[in-house]
Amino acid sequence: MTPHRHTAATWLMQRGVPVWEAAGFLGMSAEMLLGTYGHHQPDFLNGAANAITSKHRVSVVESVVDLEHAREKRQKA
């Protein structure tokens, strides 16, 4: 029995199959696969979850410097 394309894409993402391999198998672009099924990957949002729970503190001085740097980049563009 062959699973429906939607089911197959979901299973491939859940099992961590490389995006290019899964996209080729399913006959779709990697962009389409990630945009539609990327949230099924095992590590989806891990970076955000780790960042929000980390103990890293940012000082006011670091924040002001980062804001000034971003402002300068916008003005150059």
Side-chain angles (χ1 to χ4, degrees):
M1 181 167 119
T2 303
H4 185 271
R5 186 175 179 194
H6 173 78
T7 304
T10 300
W11 288 352
L12 290 170
M13 291 292 89
Q14 288 174 336
R15 290 177 174 95
V17 173
V19 173
W20 284 101
E21 185 177 343
F25 179 78
L26 295 165
M28 64 175 67
S29 70
E31 292 80 14
M32 174 66 77
L33 180 65
L34 283 174
T36 307
Y37 303 100
H39 64 281
H40 291 294
Q41 290 180 311
D43 59 351
F44 181 68
L45 296 180
N46 275 355
N50 291 336
I52 201 73
T53 59
S54 75
K55 302 280 187 205
H56 177 75
R57 305 251 192 272
V58 177
S59 72
V60 174
V61 173
E62 287 176 304
S63 297
V64 170
V65 169
D66 289 344
L67 287 172
E68 186 59 33
H69 180 69
R71 185 177 301 126
E72 289 172 3
K73 284 177 72 174
R74 282 195 306 271
Q75 288 174 350
K76 289 180 183 178

